[in-house]
Amino acid sequence: MKNRRNIAIVAVPAINFTKALGVLSRFLDKRFRIAFSYGNAYIPLKADKHLVGPYLDRLSGKFVNIPPSLLPQKRKAISISAIAKNLKIGLPRSINIVGDIITINTIPSEYIALRRVIGDVLRRHLGYRGVFLKRRKTSGTKRIAVWERLAGWGDTFTIHKESGCLFCLDISRVFFNPRLGAERLRILSQVRDGETIIDMFAGVGPFSILLSKYRRVRVYAIDINKYAIHYMTINSTLNKTPIDIIHGDAKEAIYRIHTKADRIIMNYPEGAINFIGYAIEKLRDEGFIHVYMFVDGKNIKLTTRKIIADKIAELGYRPRTVNINTYRVGEVAPYRYLVCADVYVRM
C-alpha cells in the first residue's frame, strides 16, 4: 500500500467524535477503519498535518504516532470458516463485533494454548483493532465480564454503531450485547409518539437512545453501574437524544420518577422477574412491560407465561387483563433461551 508513512492520525475525545467526522470528513483516509481506545477516537487522515492542524483546537484533538500497520484496515467480507479452512487452524465457531474490536466468549480447550495466534489471525484477516477473550463470565448486578487481549493494541473501550446510533462503552466496565440489535428494533416498532418509557436496566442506553432518536417520547433510563451512567451520558450527547438518566438501584430509583409510564423495559434476564412488582407500580392504568428472562426447556412459551403469571399473583396484584406474548431472542446454551415477554397489563 502506498504512502502508509504519510498518514496523519488525529486523536479526539469520544464526546467530540461526531463533530470531528463532520469537520474532517474531506480528509479521511478511507483505506482504514477509525480506531477507538482510551476514551478517544483515532482518525486516519490522508492530508498533510499543516492542513488539518487549524481544526484541532475546536475538537480538543491532537496528532498521535500510531504505525499504520496497527490501524484496523477495511477488508473484503470473509467467513470464519473460510479463514479456518484456508489456514488449517481451529477458530471459534462464533465471535462478536463491538465497535472496532472482536470479542470471543469461548475457545475450545484443545486450542486454548494457541489463543494468541488465533487472535492475531482474526485481527489481520477481519481488519479490527483488537481481539479479546472472555476470561470470566458476566456476573453481579453490574453484569461485568473480565477480558484478556489476545491481539492488537489498546484497551477495551470502543464506539459501536447500531441502527444509526453511536454507543461509547468499555466492555470491561459495562454490559453490552451487540446481538440484540434486531430485538431493539422490534421494541422500537411497537413504540408510538407521545409515550413515557422507563428503561429499568438501561446500561449504556441502547434501548433508551434508539427510542428517543426515532420516536417523540419521554425516556427515563436507570442503571446501578456508574460507568454505564457515564457512557450513557456521553451517548445521549453524541446522538442528540435527550433522555432522563438516573443512577441507582432500579427498585429505589424508579420512585424518583414522578410520573407513570406507558411502557417499561426490563433487560436484566438474570433477575428482571424479581423487579416486576416495581414496574407494575409505575405503569399507568394500562401499558406494556417487556421482561427479558433466561428460560430452560422445550416449551418456552408456556414456561415463560407461567413464571410471569405466578409472580404477579404471588405479589398480590389482580389486574383486570394480563396478556403475555413471548419471543425467543436467542439460544444461549442447549435448551436454554433468552426470551422477551411482552406483557400487556390493564389494572
Side-chain angles (χ1 to χ4, degrees):
M1 186 178 291
K2 295 181 179 180
N3 298 325
R4 281 190 171 189
R5 294 181 180 177
N6 297 330
I7 293 174
I9 300 172
V10 169
V12 300
I15 198 166
N16 291 337
F17 176 52
T18 53
K19 182 179 178 181
L21 287 183
V23 171
L24 302 174
S25 59
R26 63 194 177 99
F27 301 123
L28 294 180
D29 190 329
K30 296 182 179 179
R31 297 172 299 176
F32 300 92
R33 302 181 195 270
I34 295 171
F36 308 101
S37 193
Y38 309 118
N40 293 319
Y42 296 88
I43 304 175
L45 305 173
K46 61 186 178 182
D48 292 333
K49 288 185 177 181
H50 73 277
L51 294 176
V52 179
Y55 297 98
L56 296 192
D57 283 345
R58 54 175 157 151
L59 299 173
S60 299
K62 61 182 180 181
F63 291 110
V64 294
N65 294 315
I66 298 176
S69 60
L70 293 181
L71 287 174
Q73 299 183 36
K74 294 183 178 179
R75 304 289 193 189
K76 292 182 180 179
I78 183 171
S79 68
I80 295 176
S81 59
I83 297 172
K85 183 178 179 181
N86 291 340
L87 298 179
K88 296 181 173 58
I89 188 171
L91 295 178
R93 292 184 178 180
S94 66
I95 61 172
N96 290 316
I97 304 296
V98 186
D100 68 334
I101 61 180
I102 297 170
T103 66
I104 305 171
N105 287 338
T106 59
I107 289 178
S109 57
E110 62 267 32
Y111 296 115
I112 196 68
L114 295 173
R115 62 189 184 279
R116 295 188 182 280
V117 174
I118 290 170
D120 191 58
V121 165
L122 290 173
R123 183 189 70 84
R124 287 186 292 105
H125 284 78
L126 298 180
Y128 287 87
R129 170 178 60 86
V131 181
F132 293 84
L133 172 65
K134 186 180 288 186
R135 299 300 285 177
R136 192 176 73 198
K137 292 184 178 180
T138 303
S139 61
T141 57
K142 298 178 182 179
R143 297 190 280 177
I144 304 303
V146 175
W147 301 88
E148 175 189 0
R149 189 178 71 203
L150 302 184
W153 60 276
D155 65 358
T156 45
F157 171 84
T158 190
I159 299 181
H160 184 78
K161 186 173 183 179
E162 177 186 294
S163 301
C165 301
L166 294 172
F167 299 108
C168 291
L169 59 112
D170 184 331
I171 60 172
S172 68
R173 291 181 169 180
V174 300
F175 175 82
F176 182 80
N177 188 346
R179 298 193 175 204
L180 292 186
E183 172 62 16
R184 289 187 267 268
L185 289 174
R186 187 185 73 84
I187 299 299
L188 173 66
S189 71
Q190 300 182 35
V191 174
R192 298 293 175 262
D193 288 346
E195 289 189 11
T196 297
I197 299 166
I198 299 175
D199 189 353
M200 287 183 69
F201 312 99
V204 299
F207 277 102
S208 295
I209 286 169
L210 178 73
L211 301 183
S212 181
K213 188 177 183 73
Y214 294 109
R215 297 289 186 270
R216 292 191 294 274
V217 293
R218 180 75 179 268
V219 179
Y220 296 89
I222 303 169
D223 206 274
I224 196 171
N225 184 336
K226 67 179 181 180
Y227 296 108
I229 294 296
H230 169 71
Y231 289 121
M232 183 162 37
T233 302
I234 294 175
N235 295 337
S236 178
T237 300
L238 276 180
N239 293 283
K240 299 179 181 179
T241 49
I243 57 178
D244 294 270
I245 298 172
I246 304 169
H247 181 211
D249 188 330
K251 64 178 177 287
E252 174 276 322
I254 198 168
Y255 292 110
R256 288 188 246 153
I257 301 170
H258 302 298
T259 187
K260 297 279 189 173
D262 302 286
R263 190 179 304 271
I264 297 177
I265 299 169
M266 305 177 71
N267 182 24
Y268 176 32
E270 298 90 342
I273 188 64
N274 298 318
F275 290 75
I276 198 167
Y278 301 100
I280 292 173
E281 288 291 329
K282 292 301 293 184
L283 205 62
R284 298 195 195 279
D285 290 340
E286 61 177 336
F288 289 90
I289 305 173
H290 304 283
V291 187
Y292 289 85
M293 306 166 55
F294 291 125
V295 180
D296 298 312
K298 294 183 178 181
N299 196 338
I300 59 173
K301 288 188 176 183
L302 181 63
T303 303
T304 303
R305 289 170 181 163
K306 186 177 188 311
I307 291 171
I308 292 174
D310 288 353
K311 190 65 175 180
I312 291 174
E314 174 192 325
L315 294 170
Y317 293 103
R318 299 290 183 268
R320 284 186 287 174
T321 306
V322 177
N323 292 330
I324 304 171
N325 292 317
T326 62
Y327 295 86
R328 191 175 79 176
V329 180
E331 187 173 13
V332 297
Y335 297 110
R336 182 170 177 79
Y337 302 92
L338 174 59
V339 175
C340 179
D342 295 341
V343 185
Y344 169 76
V345 179
R346 184 171 178 236
M347 299 303 290

